Amino acid sequence: MTIRPTWVIANRKMHGNQAENRQFLEALLQHTSTHQARCVVCPPHPYLHQAQSLLAGSHIAWGGQNMSRYAYGAYTGSVSPLMLKEFGCQYVMIGHSERRQRGHDNDESCGERFETAIQHGLTPILCIGETLQEYQRGETDWVVARQLQPVLNHVGVDALARGIIAYEPVWAIGSGITASPQHVQTILAFIRGHIALLQPSVAETLCLLYGGSITAQTAADLFAMPDVDGGLIGKACLDSGHFLEICQMAETRTRLAWAA
Ligand code: PGA
């Protein structure tokens, strides 16, 4: 049986300043351990240099919250994969719903940029998930399959495993409503099954995360689900104490998986 790692990814959104970032990153360095769960921090882009100086050589990785499909050029306000790499990023988030909803990202551009990330040696964290209306209409399966398709078209199923998929229902993000562990498990099992039809070995190794109002109270039950390989954490990463509790739960999941 394949044992997939457990991930805890901090999406710091447009929060923080140099002093707060330092406090957060130093707390992570001090209180997380080296080889159990995988911890990644995605700060706002201007703070990537700070993340690099504090985290370089440590067990904590960092990444961008977005990326252009182009390496350079007249794209005001965009950040290229080369720039992320220059600041030591190993990861990049693609297609977060807060960007999709404001019209910056769509399914096709996410597919293109997933491919660009891989070509530049970055691990894309692809965010997918349905709106409240789609959820209420029972369309979640259809929506996540639609969102995955351009990625499959661009990179093919084998390269999909070089990224991470985060299922983030739009109605759960920032709302204080965590999706139930059963719902999350059903959707992640659907995604894994969908990929298994194309290539079973990719489905087995692909890391699938959940994101949407995860807290220290809800993380353990979510991480106990067989197809949940960790979480993408927004609000709860603004408090290092809460975030560290979630990291601890991810550590426990990893240890239990190895002990089984
Ligand atoms: P949240 O954000 O934990 O605040 O809901 C998660 C995300 O947007 O990735």
Side-chain angles (χ1 to χ4, degrees):
M1 194 187 79
T2 309
I3 299 182
R4 295 180 297 271
T6 310
W7 299 81
V8 191
I9 303 182
N11 174 11
R12 300 269 294 169
K13 307 200 179 187
M14 201 172 71
H15 292 291
N17 54 45
Q18 297 212 47
E20 280 173 22
N21 298 341
R22 172 177 287 278
Q23 184 271 334
F24 176 69
L25 298 176
E26 284 177 347
L28 292 195
L29 284 169
Q30 218 183 330
H31 298 290
T32 54
S33 71
T34 27
H35 25 69
Q36 305 281 352
R38 302 220 181 140
C39 186
V40 181
V41 179
C42 297
H45 292 157
Y47 299 125
L48 286 173
H49 181 249
Q50 187 187 23
Q52 184 178 33
S53 6
L54 289 169
L55 301 178
S58 79
H59 57 286
I60 300 168
W62 61 99
Q65 293 180 7
N66 176 44
M67 185 195 73
S68 168
R69 66 172 290 202
Y70 301 106
Y72 56 87
Y75 304 104
T76 305
S78 297
V79 171
S80 95
L82 298 179
M83 295 169 189
L84 295 180
K85 293 276 290 187
E86 193 170 11
F87 286 96
C89 292
Q90 292 175 47
Y91 298 86
V92 60
M93 294 169 57
I94 293 194
H96 190 281
S97 68
E98 285 157 10
R99 296 190 55 80
R100 290 180 190 257
Q101 282 183 309
R102 286 174 177 77
H104 300 299
D105 293 355
N106 57 44
D107 296 347
E108 179 57 26
S109 80
C110 289
E112 287 169 354
R113 289 174 302 123
F114 191 102
E115 182 176 27
T116 306
I118 284 178
Q119 284 165 348
H120 285 88
L122 289 158
T123 300
I125 304 161
L126 177 76
C127 303
I128 57 175
E130 81 286 9
T131 63
L132 180 60
Q133 289 76 16
E134 290 162 340
Y135 172 70
Q136 286 168 338
R137 290 197 296 260
E139 294 173 359
T140 303
D141 292 3
W142 182 83
V143 171
V144 295
R146 187 203 74 207
Q147 291 171 326
L148 278 173
Q149 196 53 48
V151 175
L152 291 167
N153 295 346
H154 277 275
V155 302
V157 66
D158 289 332
L160 191 64
R162 290 166 64 185
I164 295 170
I165 311 283
Y167 166 59
E168 299 206 302
V170 178
W171 48 270
I173 293 178
S175 64
I177 302 167
T178 319
S180 73
Q182 293 72 23
H183 171 76
V184 173
Q185 171 56 28
T186 304
I187 302 307
L188 294 193
F190 166 77
I191 295 172
R192 212 178 285 290
H194 186 68
I195 303 301
L197 292 176
L198 303 170
Q199 180 53 268
S201 61
V202 170
E204 203 163 298
T205 52
L206 182 63
C207 289
L208 301 178
L209 315 189
Y210 166 74
S213 298
I214 296 184
T215 63
Q217 286 70 45
T218 56
D221 288 346
L222 287 161
F223 293 172
M225 294 289 132
D227 283 298
V228 179
D229 303 315
L232 182 51
I233 321 289
K235 191 161 180 231
C237 81
L238 299 181
D239 178 308
S240 55
H242 286 166
F243 188 70
L244 285 166
E245 277 185 64
I246 296 170
C247 291
Q248 195 51 56
M249 291 164 197
E251 298 270 318
T252 306
R253 178 194 191 263
T254 313
R255 244 179 285 122
L256 290 175
W258 281 105

